[in-house]
Amino acid sequence: MTSTLILIVEDEPAVAERVKWSLRDSGWDYCAVADAAAAWQVLQRRQPHLVLLDWTLADGSGLELLLRIRRERSLRGLPVLVLSATAGEQDKVDGLDSGADDYVTKPFSPRELLARSRALLRRSGYCPASPAIAVANIVLDPLSFSVLIDNSPIEIRVAEFRLLELLMSRPGQPFSRQQLRERLQQAGGRVDDRTVDVHVLRLRKAMRDARGLVKTVRNVGYMLAA
């Protein structure tokens, strides 16, 4: 199956980086541009599966780009999710009436953005691939939210699942406590360094005989042995 491609049209670097991080975390590919002209050039070369469109761009409003997309016959069915700093009802109505498929107000959580993106992809008839991750004797499936060790399922909580998913994404690479904190914040709740250590202990306990694969990296954080 073709890799899921998301076009990000966002001129705020901090927001763009947050969106990129979320998409990388889901295993999706992305192309990021900062203005409508660059976005249109991308759309002429390759059609993405979804557009994340900032409503206010330096070279014109996102509305103008959205209307242009809807006028183009080959792009009319392309899902567009608007990202906006304004939460007013009229702004949302204007966006949806102009052809947007959904609307997210900044600041938004990565979980909400991904959930809404998946919903739009499903509605468009595209089923994004969510391949299982396999490292050593561990298989993690993000779609079914399951973990197998030696082909046997283990019981695991949301926070520990998210930690393991991150560690398995780059086996052999240390992750700092800051990176792990950010990951845990997606699962909700307040997180500090002590909280990270507690969740790692719980993860190791859940992994039973494979607990030794989660290594402590002194003065850095943790990693999963390759």
Side-chain angles (χ1 to χ4, degrees):
M1 182 179 288
T2 303
S3 177
T4 306
L5 176 65
I6 312 297
L7 174 59
I8 307 167
V9 190
E10 173 60 66
D11 61 0
E12 294 183 53
V15 176
E17 282 303 313
R18 185 176 180 82
V19 174
K20 290 177 189 177
W21 187 87
S22 300
L23 297 181
R24 281 195 300 266
D25 203 37
S26 289
W28 295 350
D29 291 333
Y30 63 82
C31 176
V33 296
D35 56 61
W40 190 250
Q41 290 179 2
V42 172
L43 291 169
Q44 299 309 297
R45 296 195 305 268
R46 181 182 178 187
Q47 183 167 326
H49 297 97
L50 172 69
V51 177
L52 302 179
L53 175 61
D54 183 14
W55 204 228
T56 306
L57 298 168
D59 65 341
S61 72
L63 171 61
E64 294 172 1
L65 177 59
L66 175 59
L67 292 174
R68 191 175 185 184
I69 289 173
R70 292 299 177 239
R71 287 194 298 264
E72 184 76 13
R73 181 184 298 272
S74 63
L75 299 175
R76 286 177 186 171
L78 177 62
V80 177
L81 190 159
V82 167
L83 311 176
S84 177
T86 57
E89 180 180 357
Q90 189 58 50
D91 293 309
K92 293 182 180 180
V93 170
D94 289 344
L96 295 171
D97 282 350
S98 300
D101 297 280
D102 203 353
Y103 192 106
V104 174
T105 303
K106 304 174 186 177
F108 48 81
S109 73
R111 293 177 66 189
E112 179 187 11
L113 180 65
L114 292 176
R116 290 181 179 273
S117 297
R118 291 191 186 101
L120 288 182
L121 290 169
R122 286 195 299 269
R123 282 163 49 188
S124 71
Y126 174 74
C127 182
S130 184
I133 308 169
V135 178
N137 60 338
I138 308 171
V139 178
L140 181 147
D141 188 343
L143 194 60
S144 63
F145 203 84
S146 63
V147 178
L148 301 178
I149 296 180
D150 291 327
N151 295 319
S152 296
I154 67 170
E155 293 186 8
I156 190 167
R157 302 181 186 184
V158 174
E160 284 76 59
F161 182 93
R162 295 303 181 199
L163 276 185
L164 181 60
E165 188 177 26
L166 179 62
L167 294 173
M168 290 181 69
S169 69
R170 297 180 182 85
Q173 173 183 314
F175 287 88
S176 68
R177 282 183 168 80
Q178 175 63 32
Q179 290 173 303
L180 298 175
R181 281 201 307 269
E182 291 174 356
R183 181 65 167 196
L184 286 169
Q185 284 167 356
Q186 295 182 37
R190 299 181 61 181
V191 181
D192 55 24
D193 283 352
R194 177 56 184 158
T195 309
V196 170
D197 293 336
V198 169
H199 284 299
V200 170
L201 286 173
R202 289 177 178 170
L203 173 60
R204 285 171 167 160
K205 183 177 180 179
M207 292 173 66
R208 302 191 298 262
D209 292 342
R211 70 183 65 194
L213 291 174
V214 178
K215 305 290 186 182
T216 301
V217 182
R218 188 175 181 182
N219 297 324
V220 179
Y222 298 93
M223 74 174 195
L224 188 77

